[in-house]
Amino acid sequence: VDSGLVDKLTIILDENMIMQGTSMTFLLKIKPNNLDGIAKQLYSSPFVANMTITSGHYNLIVVTHNMRDKDKIEFIKMSIIYPER
């Protein structure tokens, strides 16, 4: 458009193909002796799509399903009630 090659652009979106909400990715640093228990508790959440235990500074990566904002808040509240990480 800026180069003048394209005069006009129309975007047509199929609303049925657009998912509700967005997913989130959390990089967590958890004490090794708490890692297994916390990972199991978080994985039992219906919001969790994928979880990876890694080595390094952040040792747990959690990816959620697409969620609405109120579900994100609920997931975050649920995540912070676990024992000290």
Side-chain angles (χ1 to χ4, degrees):
V1 174
D2 291 335
S3 68
L5 183 63
V6 177
D7 247 6
K8 182 178 175 182
L9 180 66
T10 302
I11 299 173
I12 300 172
L13 298 175
D14 182 351
E15 292 181 15
N16 296 317
M17 299 298 289
I18 300 173
M19 299 177 139
Q20 292 287 327
T22 57
S23 67
M24 297 184 294
T25 301
F26 294 91
L27 304 174
L28 303 173
K29 179 180 180 182
I30 299 174
K31 291 182 179 179
N33 57 332
N34 295 335
L35 183 59
D36 190 51
I38 291 174
K40 286 178 181 176
Q41 290 175 0
L42 286 174
Y43 191 73
S44 68
S45 166
F47 300 120
V48 174
N50 187 5
M51 179 178 291
T52 305
I53 295 175
T54 67
S55 60
H57 185 72
Y58 298 109
N59 54 1
L60 185 64
I61 301 170
V62 179
V63 179
T64 67
H65 292 289
N66 292 334
M67 294 191 266
R68 294 185 180 94
D69 288 342
K70 77 173 194 168
D71 293 332
K72 290 177 188 173
I73 292 168
E74 180 183 331
F75 179 78
I76 292 168
K77 283 181 181 177
M78 178 199 72
S79 299
I80 62 174
I81 63 168
Y82 294 118
E84 184 179 333
R85 296 161 201 239

Coordinates of all heavy atoms in Angstrom, one line a residue:
V1 N 0.8 -1.2 0.0 CA 0.0 0.0 0.0 C 0.9 1.2 0.0 O 0.6 2.2 -0.8 CB -1.0 0.0 1.2 CG1 -1.7 1.3 1.3 CG2 -1.9 -1.2 1.1
D2 N 1.9 1.3 0.8 CA 2.8 2.5 0.9 C 3.5 2.7 -0.4 O 3.8 3.9 -0.7 CB 3.8 2.3 2.1 CG 3.1 2.4 3.4 OD1 2.0 3.0 3.5 OD2 3.7 1.8 4.4
S3 N 3.9 1.7 -1.1 CA 4.6 1.9 -2.3 C 3.7 2.3 -3.5 O 4.3 2.7 -4.5 CB 5.3 0.5 -2.7 OG 4.3 -0.4 -3.1
G4 N 2.4 2.2 -3.3 CA 1.5 2.6 -4.4 C 1.1 1.5 -5.3 O 0.3 1.6 -6.2
L5 N 1.7 0.3 -5.1 CA 1.4 -0.8 -5.9 C 0.0 -1.3 -5.6 O -0.8 -1.7 -6.6 CB 2.4 -2.0 -5.6 CG 2.2 -3.2 -6.4 CD1 2.5 -2.9 -7.9 CD2 3.2 -4.3 -6.0
V6 N -0.5 -1.2 -4.4 CA -1.8 -1.6 -4.0 C -2.6 -0.4 -3.7 O -2.2 0.4 -2.8 CB -1.8 -2.6 -2.9 CG1 -3.2 -3.0 -2.4 CG2 -1.1 -3.9 -3.2
D7 N -3.7 -0.1 -4.3 CA -4.6 1.0 -4.1 C -5.5 0.8 -2.9 O -5.6 1.7 -2.0 CB -5.5 1.3 -5.3 CG -5.1 2.6 -6.0 OD1 -4.1 3.2 -5.6 OD2 -5.9 2.9 -6.9
K8 N -6.1 -0.3 -2.8 CA -7.1 -0.6 -1.8 C -7.0 -2.1 -1.4 O -6.8 -2.9 -2.2 CB -8.5 -0.3 -2.4 CG -9.6 -0.5 -1.5 CD -10.9 -0.1 -2.3 CE -12.1 -0.4 -1.4 NZ -13.4 -0.1 -2.1
L9 N -7.3 -2.3 -0.2 CA -7.2 -3.7 0.4 C -8.4 -3.9 1.2 O -8.7 -3.1 2.1 CB -5.9 -3.8 1.2 CG -5.7 -5.2 1.8 CD1 -5.4 -6.2 0.7 CD2 -4.5 -5.1 2.7
T10 N -9.2 -5.0 1.0 CA -10.3 -5.3 1.8 C -10.1 -6.7 2.4 O -9.7 -7.6 1.8 CB -11.6 -5.4 0.9 OG1 -11.8 -4.2 0.3 CG2 -12.8 -5.8 1.7
I11 N -10.2 -6.7 3.7 CA -10.0 -8.0 4.5 C -11.4 -8.5 4.8 O -12.2 -7.8 5.4 CB -9.2 -7.7 5.7 CG1 -7.8 -7.2 5.3 CG2 -9.1 -9.0 6.6 CD1 -6.9 -6.8 6.5
I12 N -11.6 -9.8 4.5 CA -12.9 -10.4 4.8 C -12.5 -11.6 5.8 O -11.8 -12.5 5.4 CB -13.6 -11.0 3.6 CG1 -13.9 -9.8 2.6 CG2 -14.9 -11.7 4.0 CD1 -14.4 -10.2 1.3
L13 N -13.1 -11.5 7.0 CA -12.8 -12.6 8.0 C -14.0 -13.5 8.1 O -15.1 -13.0 8.2 CB -12.5 -11.9 9.3 CG -11.2 -11.0 9.4 CD1 -11.1 -10.4 10.8 CD2 -10.0 -11.8 9.1
D14 N -13.7 -14.8 8.2 CA -14.8 -15.7 8.5 C -14.9 -15.8 10.0 O -14.0 -16.4 10.7 CB -14.5 -17.1 7.9 CG -15.6 -18.1 8.1 OD1 -16.5 -17.8 8.9 OD2 -15.5 -19.2 7.5
E15 N -15.9 -15.2 10.6 CA -16.0 -15.2 12.1 C -16.1 -16.6 12.7 O -15.8 -16.7 13.9 CB -17.2 -14.3 12.5 CG -17.0 -12.9 12.2 CD -18.2 -12.0 12.6 OE1 -19.1 -12.5 13.4 OE2 -18.3 -10.9 12.1
N16 N -16.5 -17.6 12.0 CA -16.6 -18.9 12.5 C -15.2 -19.5 12.7 O -15.1 -20.5 13.4 CB -17.4 -19.8 11.5 CG -18.9 -19.4 11.5 OD1 -19.5 -19.0 12.5 ND2 -19.4 -19.3 10.3
M17 N -14.2 -19.0 12.0 CA -12.9 -19.5 12.1 C -12.1 -18.8 13.2 O -11.0 -19.2 13.5 CB -12.1 -19.3 10.8 CG -12.8 -20.1 9.6 SD -12.8 -21.8 9.9 CE -11.0 -22.2 9.7
I18 N -12.6 -17.7 13.8 CA -11.9 -17.0 14.9 C -12.3 -17.6 16.2 O -13.4 -17.7 16.5 CB -12.3 -15.5 14.8 CG1 -11.9 -14.9 13.5 CG2 -11.6 -14.8 16.0 CD1 -12.3 -13.5 13.3
M19 N -11.3 -18.0 17.0 CA -11.5 -18.6 18.3 C -11.8 -17.5 19.3 O -11.3 -16.4 19.2 CB -10.3 -19.4 18.7 CG -10.0 -20.5 17.8 SD -8.5 -21.3 18.4 CE -9.0 -23.0 18.1
Q20 N -12.6 -17.9 20.3 CA -12.9 -16.9 21.4 C -11.7 -16.8 22.3 O -11.1 -17.8 22.7 CB -14.1 -17.5 22.2 CG -15.4 -17.5 21.4 CD -16.0 -16.1 21.3 OE1 -15.8 -15.2 22.1 NE2 -16.6 -15.8 20.2
G21 N -11.4 -15.6 22.7 CA -10.3 -15.4 23.7 C -8.9 -15.7 23.1 O -8.7 -15.8 21.9
T22 N -8.0 -15.7 24.0 CA -6.6 -15.9 23.7 C -6.0 -16.9 24.6 O -6.4 -17.1 25.7 CB -5.8 -14.6 23.7 OG1 -5.9 -14.1 25.0 CG2 -6.2 -13.6 22.7
S23 N -4.9 -17.5 24.2 CA -4.2 -18.4 25.1 C -3.1 -17.6 25.8 O -2.7 -16.5 25.4 CB -3.6 -19.6 24.3 OG -2.6 -19.1 23.5
M24 N -2.5 -18.2 26.8 CA -1.4 -17.6 27.6 C -0.3 -18.6 27.8 O -0.5 -19.8 27.8 CB -1.9 -17.2 29.0 CG -3.0 -16.1 29.0 SD -3.4 -15.5 30.6 CE -4.1 -17.0 31.4
T25 N 0.9 -18.1 27.9 CA 2.1 -19.0 28.2 C 2.7 -18.4 29.4 O 3.0 -17.2 29.5 CB 3.1 -18.9 27.0 OG1 2.4 -19.4 25.8 CG2 4.3 -19.8 27.3
F26 N 2.9 -19.3 30.4 CA 3.6 -19.0 31.6 C 4.9 -19.6 31.7 O 5.1 -20.8 31.5 CB 2.7 -19.4 32.8 CG 1.4 -18.7 33.0 CD1 0.3 -19.3 32.4 CD2 1.3 -17.6 33.7 CE1 -0.9 -18.6 32.5 CE2 0.1 -16.9 33.8 CZ -1.0 -17.5 33.2
L27 N 6.0 -18.9 32.1 CA 7.3 -19.4 32.4 C 7.4 -19.4 33.9 O 7.5 -18.3 34.4 CB 8.4 -18.6 31.7 CG 8.2 -18.5 30.2 CD1 9.3 -17.5 29.6 CD2 8.3 -19.8 29.5
L28 N 7.5 -20.5 34.5 CA 7.5 -20.5 36.0 C 8.8 -21.1 36.5 O 9.4 -22.0 36.0 CB 6.4 -21.4 36.5 CG 4.9 -21.0 36.0 CD1 4.0 -22.1 36.4 CD2 4.5 -19.7 36.6
K29 N 9.2 -20.5 37.6 CA 10.4 -20.9 38.3 C 9.9 -21.5 39.7 O 9.4 -20.8 40.5 CB 11.4 -19.8 38.6 CG 12.6 -20.2 39.3 CD 13.5 -19.0 39.6 CE 14.8 -19.5 40.3 NZ 15.7 -18.3 40.6
I30 N 10.0 -22.8 39.8 CA 9.5 -23.5 41.0 C 10.6 -24.3 41.6 O 11.4 -24.9 41.0 CB 8.3 -24.5 40.5 CG1 7.2 -23.7 39.9 CG2 7.8 -25.3 41.7 CD1 6.1 -24.5 39.3
K31 N 10.6 -24.3 43.0 CA 11.6 -25.0 43.7 C 11.5 -26.5 43.3 O 10.4 -27.1 43.2 CB 11.3 -24.9 45.2 CG 11.6 -23.5 45.7 CD 11.4 -23.5 47.2 CE 11.7 -22.1 47.7 NZ 11.5 -22.0 49.2
P32 N 12.6 -27.1 43.0 CA 12.6 -28.5 42.5 C 11.8 -29.5 43.4 O 11.1 -30.4 42.8 CB 14.1 -28.9 42.5 CG 14.8 -27.6 42.3 CD 14.0 -26.6 43.1
N33 N 11.9 -29.4 44.7 CA 11.1 -30.3 45.5 C 9.6 -30.1 45.5 O 8.8 -30.9 45.9 CB 11.6 -30.2 47.0 CG 11.5 -28.8 47.6 OD1 11.6 -27.9 46.9 ND2 11.4 -28.8 48.9
N34 N 9.1 -28.9 44.9 CA 7.7 -28.7 44.8 C 7.2 -28.9 43.3 O 6.0 -28.9 43.1 CB 7.4 -27.2 45.1 CG 7.6 -26.9 46.6 OD1 7.5 -27.9 47.4 ND2 7.8 -25.7 46.9
L35 N 8.1 -29.1 42.4 CA 7.8 -29.1 41.0 C 6.8 -30.1 40.6 O 5.8 -29.8 39.9 CB 9.1 -29.3 40.1 CG 8.9 -29.2 38.6 CD1 8.3 -27.9 38.2 CD2 10.3 -29.5 37.9
D36 N 7.0 -31.4 41.0 CA 6.1 -32.5 40.6 C 4.7 -32.2 41.1 O 3.7 -32.3 40.3 CB 6.6 -33.8 41.1 CG 5.9 -35.0 40.6 OD1 5.7 -35.0 39.3 OD2 5.4 -35.8 41.3
G37 N 4.5 -31.8 42.4 CA 3.2 -31.6 42.9 C 2.4 -30.5 42.3 O 1.3 -30.5 41.9
I38 N 3.2 -29.3 42.1 CA 2.5 -28.2 41.4 C 2.2 -28.5 40.0 O 1.1 -28.1 39.5 CB 3.5 -26.9 41.6 CG1 3.5 -26.5 43.1 CG2 3.0 -25.8 40.7 CD1 4.5 -25.4 43.4
A39 N 3.1 -29.2 39.3 CA 2.8 -29.5 37.9 C 1.6 -30.3 37.8 O 0.7 -30.1 36.9 CB 4.0 -30.2 37.3
K40 N 1.4 -31.3 38.7 CA 0.2 -32.2 38.6 C -1.1 -31.4 38.9 O -2.1 -31.6 38.3 CB 0.4 -33.3 39.6 CG 1.3 -34.4 39.2 CD 1.5 -35.5 40.2 CE 2.5 -36.5 39.7 NZ 2.7 -37.6 40.7
Q41 N -1.0 -30.5 39.9 CA -2.2 -29.7 40.2 C -2.6 -28.8 39.1 O -3.7 -28.6 38.7 CB -1.9 -28.9 41.5 CG -1.8 -29.7 42.7 CD -1.5 -28.9 44.0 OE1 -1.3 -27.7 43.9 NE2 -1.4 -29.6 45.1
L42 N -1.6 -28.1 38.5 CA -1.9 -27.2 37.4 C -2.4 -28.0 36.2 O -3.3 -27.5 35.5 CB -0.6 -26.4 37.0 CG -0.2 -25.3 37.9 CD1 1.1 -24.7 37.5 CD2 -1.3 -24.2 38.0
Y43 N -1.8 -29.1 35.9 CA -2.2 -29.9 34.7 C -3.6 -30.4 34.8 O -4.3 -30.6 33.8 CB -1.2 -31.1 34.5 CG -1.4 -31.7 33.2 CD1 -1.0 -31.1 32.0 CD2 -2.1 -33.0 33.0 CE1 -1.2 -31.7 30.8 CE2 -2.3 -33.5 31.8 CZ -1.8 -32.9 30.7 OH -2.0 -33.5 29.4
S44 N -4.1 -30.6 36.0 CA -5.5 -31.0 36.2 C -6.5 -29.9 35.9 O -7.7 -30.2 35.7 CB -5.7 -31.5 37.6 OG -5.7 -30.4 38.5
S45 N -6.1 -28.7 35.7 CA -7.0 -27.6 35.3 C -7.5 -27.8 33.9 O -6.7 -28.1 33.0 CB -6.2 -26.3 35.4 OG -7.0 -25.3 34.8
P46 N -8.8 -27.5 33.7 CA -9.3 -27.6 32.3 C -8.8 -26.6 31.4 O -8.9 -26.7 30.2 CB -10.8 -27.4 32.5 CG -10.9 -26.7 33.8 CD -9.8 -27.1 34.6
F47 N -8.1 -25.6 31.9 CA -7.5 -24.5 31.1 C -6.2 -24.8 30.5 O -5.8 -24.2 29.5 CB -7.4 -23.2 31.9 CG -8.6 -22.7 32.5 CD1 -8.8 -22.6 33.9 CD2 -9.7 -22.3 31.7 CE1 -10.0 -22.1 34.4 CE2 -10.9 -21.8 32.2 CZ -11.0 -21.7 33.6
V48 N -5.5 -25.8 31.0 CA -4.1 -26.1 30.6 C -4.2 -27.0 29.3 O -4.8 -28.0 29.2 CB -3.3 -26.9 31.7 CG1 -2.0 -27.3 31.1 CG2 -3.1 -26.0 32.9
A49 N -3.5 -26.5 28.3 CA -3.4 -27.2 27.0 C -2.1 -28.0 26.9 O -2.1 -29.1 26.3 CB -3.5 -26.2 25.8
N50 N -1.0 -27.4 27.4 CA 0.3 -28.1 27.3 C 1.1 -27.7 28.5 O 1.1 -26.6 28.9 CB 0.9 -27.6 26.0 CG 2.2 -28.4 25.7 OD1 2.6 -29.3 26.4 ND2 2.9 -27.9 24.6
M51 N 2.0 -28.6 28.9 CA 2.9 -28.3 30.0 C 4.2 -29.0 29.7 O 4.3 -30.2 29.3 CB 2.3 -28.8 31.3 CG 3.2 -28.6 32.5 SD 2.4 -29.2 34.0 CE 1.1 -28.0 34.2
T52 N 5.3 -28.3 30.0 CA 6.7 -28.8 29.7 C 7.5 -28.6 31.0 O 7.6 -27.4 31.4 CB 7.3 -28.2 28.5 OG1 6.4 -28.4 27.4 CG2 8.6 -28.8 28.2
I53 N 8.1 -29.6 31.5 CA 9.1 -29.5 32.6 C 10.5 -29.4 31.9 O 10.8 -30.2 31.1 CB 9.0 -30.6 33.6 CG1 7.6 -30.6 34.3 CG2 10.1 -30.5 34.6 CD1 7.4 -31.8 35.2
T54 N 11.2 -28.3 32.3 CA 12.5 -28.1 31.6 C 13.6 -27.9 32.7 O 13.3 -27.9 33.9 CB 12.5 -26.8 30.8 OG1 12.3 -25.7 31.6 CG2 11.4 -26.9 29.8
S55 N 14.8 -27.7 32.3 CA 15.9 -27.3 33.2 C 16.2 -25.9 32.9 O 15.8 -25.4 31.8 CB 17.1 -28.2 33.0 OG 17.6 -28.1 31.7
G56 N 16.9 -25.2 33.7 CA 17.3 -23.8 33.5 C 16.5 -22.9 34.5 O 16.0 -23.4 35.5
H57 N 16.6 -21.6 34.2 CA 16.0 -20.6 35.1 C 14.5 -20.9 35.3 O 14.1 -20.9 36.5 CB 16.3 -19.2 34.6 CG 15.8 -18.2 35.5 ND1 16.5 -17.9 36.7 CD2 14.7 -17.3 35.5 CE1 15.8 -16.9 37.3 NE2 14.8 -16.6 36.6
Y58 N 13.8 -21.0 34.3 CA 12.4 -21.4 34.4 C 12.2 -22.9 34.1 O 12.7 -23.4 33.1 CB 11.5 -20.6 33.3 CG 11.6 -19.1 33.5 CD1 12.3 -18.3 32.6 CD2 11.0 -18.5 34.6 CE1 12.4 -17.0 32.8 CE2 11.0 -17.2 34.8 CZ 11.8 -16.4 33.9 OH 11.8 -15.0 34.1
N59 N 11.6 -23.6 35.1 CA 11.6 -25.0 34.9 C 10.2 -25.6 34.6 O 10.1 -26.8 34.6 CB 12.2 -25.7 36.2 CG 11.6 -25.3 37.5 OD1 10.6 -24.5 37.5 ND2 12.1 -25.8 38.6
L60 N 9.2 -24.8 34.4 CA 7.9 -25.2 34.1 C 7.3 -24.2 33.1 O 7.2 -23.0 33.4 CB 7.0 -25.4 35.3 CG 5.6 -26.0 35.1 CD1 5.7 -27.4 34.6 CD2 4.8 -25.9 36.4
I61 N 6.9 -24.7 31.9 CA 6.2 -23.9 30.9 C 4.8 -24.4 30.8 O 4.6 -25.6 30.6 CB 6.9 -24.0 29.6 CG1 8.4 -23.5 29.7 CG2 6.2 -23.1 28.5 CD1 9.3 -23.8 28.5
V62 N 3.8 -23.5 31.0 CA 2.4 -23.9 30.9 C 1.8 -23.0 29.8 O 1.9 -21.8 29.8 CB 1.7 -23.6 32.3 CG1 0.2 -23.9 32.2 CG2 2.4 -24.4 33.4
V63 N 1.1 -23.7 28.9 CA 0.3 -23.0 27.8 C -1.1 -23.4 28.0 O -1.5 -24.5 28.2 CB 0.8 -23.5 26.4 CG1 0.0 -22.8 25.3 CG2 2.3 -23.3 26.3
T64 N -2.0 -22.3 28.0 CA -3.4 -22.6 28.2 C -4.2 -22.6 26.9 O -3.7 -22.2 25.9 CB -4.0 -21.4 29.1 OG1 -4.0 -20.2 28.3 CG2 -3.3 -21.2 30.4
H65 N -5.4 -23.2 27.0 CA -6.3 -23.1 25.9 C -6.7 -21.7 25.7 O -6.5 -20.8 26.6 CB -7.5 -24.0 26.2 CG -7.3 -25.4 26.2 ND1 -7.0 -26.2 25.1 CD2 -7.3 -26.3 27.3 CE1 -6.8 -27.4 25.5 NE2 -7.0 -27.5 26.8
N66 N -7.4 -21.4 24.6 CA -8.0 -20.0 24.5 C -9.0 -19.8 25.6 O -9.8 -20.7 25.8 CB -8.6 -19.9 23.1 CG -7.6 -19.9 22.0 OD1 -6.5 -19.5 22.2 ND2 -8.0 -20.3 20.8
M67 N -8.9 -18.6 26.2 CA -9.8 -18.3 27.3 C -10.4 -16.9 27.2 O -9.7 -16.0 26.7 CB -9.0 -18.4 28.6 CG -8.6 -19.7 29.0 SD -8.0 -19.7 30.7 CE -6.2 -19.4 30.5
R68 N -11.5 -16.7 27.8 CA -12.0 -15.4 28.0 C -11.3 -14.7 29.1 O -10.7 -15.4 30.0 CB -13.5 -15.5 28.2 CG -14.3 -16.0 27.0 CD -15.8 -15.9 27.2 NE -16.5 -16.4 26.1 CZ -16.9 -17.7 26.0 NH1 -16.7 -18.6 26.9 NH2 -17.5 -18.1 24.9
D69 N -11.4 -13.4 29.3 CA -10.7 -12.7 30.3 C -11.1 -13.2 31.7 O -10.2 -13.3 32.6 CB -11.0 -11.2 30.2 CG -10.3 -10.6 29.0 OD1 -9.3 -11.2 28.5 OD2 -10.6 -9.5 28.6
K70 N -12.4 -13.5 32.0 CA -12.7 -13.9 33.3 C -12.1 -15.2 33.7 O -11.8 -15.5 34.8 CB -14.2 -13.9 33.5 CG -15.0 -15.0 32.9 CD -16.4 -15.0 33.4 CE -17.0 -16.3 33.0 NZ -18.3 -16.6 33.5
D71 N -12.0 -16.1 32.7 CA -11.4 -17.4 32.9 C -9.9 -17.3 33.1 O -9.3 -18.0 33.9 CB -11.6 -18.3 31.7 CG -13.0 -18.7 31.5 OD1 -13.8 -18.8 32.6 OD2 -13.5 -19.0 30.4
K72 N -9.2 -16.3 32.5 CA -7.8 -16.0 32.7 C -7.6 -15.6 34.2 O -6.7 -16.1 34.8 CB -7.3 -14.9 31.8 CG -7.2 -15.3 30.4 CD -6.8 -14.1 29.5 CE -6.9 -14.4 28.1 NZ -6.6 -13.3 27.2
I73 N -8.4 -14.7 34.7 CA -8.3 -14.3 36.1 C -8.5 -15.5 37.0 O -7.7 -15.6 38.0 CB -9.3 -13.2 36.4 CG1 -9.0 -11.9 35.5 CG2 -9.4 -12.9 37.8 CD1 -10.0 -10.8 35.5
E74 N -9.5 -16.3 36.7 CA -9.7 -17.5 37.6 C -8.5 -18.4 37.6 O -8.1 -18.9 38.6 CB -10.9 -18.3 37.1 CG -11.3 -19.5 37.9 CD -12.4 -20.3 37.4 OE1 -13.3 -19.6 36.7 OE2 -12.5 -21.5 37.5
F75 N -7.9 -18.6 36.4 CA -6.7 -19.5 36.3 C -5.5 -18.9 37.1 O -4.8 -19.6 37.8 CB -6.3 -19.7 34.8 CG -5.1 -20.6 34.7 CD1 -5.2 -22.0 34.8 CD2 -3.9 -20.0 34.4 CE1 -4.1 -22.8 34.7 CE2 -2.8 -20.8 34.2 CZ -2.9 -22.2 34.4
I76 N -5.3 -17.6 36.9 CA -4.2 -17.0 37.6 C -4.4 -17.0 39.1 O -3.5 -17.3 39.9 CB -4.0 -15.5 37.1 CG1 -3.5 -15.5 35.7 CG2 -3.1 -14.8 38.0 CD1 -3.5 -14.2 35.0
K77 N -5.6 -16.8 39.6 CA -5.9 -16.9 41.0 C -5.7 -18.3 41.5 O -5.1 -18.5 42.6 CB -7.4 -16.5 41.3 CG -7.6 -15.0 41.3 CD -9.1 -14.7 41.6 CE -9.4 -13.3 41.6 NZ -10.8 -13.0 41.8
M78 N -6.1 -19.3 40.8 CA -5.9 -20.7 41.1 C -4.4 -21.0 41.2 O -3.9 -21.7 42.0 CB -6.6 -21.6 40.1 CG -6.4 -23.1 40.4 SD -6.7 -24.1 39.0 CE -5.3 -23.7 38.0
S79 N -3.6 -20.4 40.3 CA -2.2 -20.7 40.1 C -1.4 -20.1 41.3 O -0.4 -20.7 41.7 CB -1.6 -20.2 38.8 OG -2.3 -20.8 37.8
I80 N -1.9 -19.0 41.9 CA -1.1 -18.4 43.0 C -1.4 -18.9 44.3 O -0.8 -18.5 45.3 CB -1.2 -16.9 42.9 CG1 -2.6 -16.4 43.1 CG2 -0.6 -16.3 41.6 CD1 -2.7 -14.9 43.2
I81 N -2.4 -19.8 44.5 CA -2.7 -20.3 45.8 C -1.8 -21.5 46.2 O -1.9 -22.0 47.3 CB -4.2 -20.7 45.9 CG1 -4.5 -21.8 45.0 CG2 -5.1 -19.5 45.7 CD1 -5.9 -22.5 45.2
Y82 N -1.0 -22.0 45.3 CA -0.2 -23.2 45.5 C 1.0 -22.8 46.5 O 1.3 -21.6 46.6 CB 0.4 -23.8 44.2 CG -0.8 -24.3 43.4 CD1 -1.1 -23.9 42.2 CD2 -1.5 -25.4 43.9 CE1 -2.1 -24.4 41.4 CE2 -2.6 -25.9 43.2 CZ -2.9 -25.4 42.0 OH -3.9 -25.9 41.3
P83 N 1.6 -23.8 47.1 CA 2.7 -23.5 48.1 C 3.8 -22.7 47.4 O 3.9 -22.6 46.2 CB 3.2 -24.9 48.5 CG 2.3 -25.8 47.9 CD 1.4 -25.2 46.9
E84 N 4.6 -22.2 48.3 CA 5.8 -21.4 47.8 C 6.5 -22.1 46.7 O 6.8 -23.3 46.8 CB 6.7 -21.1 49.0 CG 7.9 -20.2 48.6 CD 8.8 -20.0 49.8 OE1 8.3 -20.0 50.9 OE2 10.0 -19.7 49.6
R85 N 6.8 -21.3 45.6 CA 7.5 -21.9 44.5 C 9.0 -21.8 44.7 O 9.8 -22.1 43.9 CB 7.0 -21.2 43.2 CG 5.6 -21.5 43.0 CD 4.9 -20.5 42.1 NE 3.5 -20.6 42.4 CZ 2.6 -20.9 41.6 NH1 2.8 -21.1 40.4 NH2 1.3 -20.9 41.9

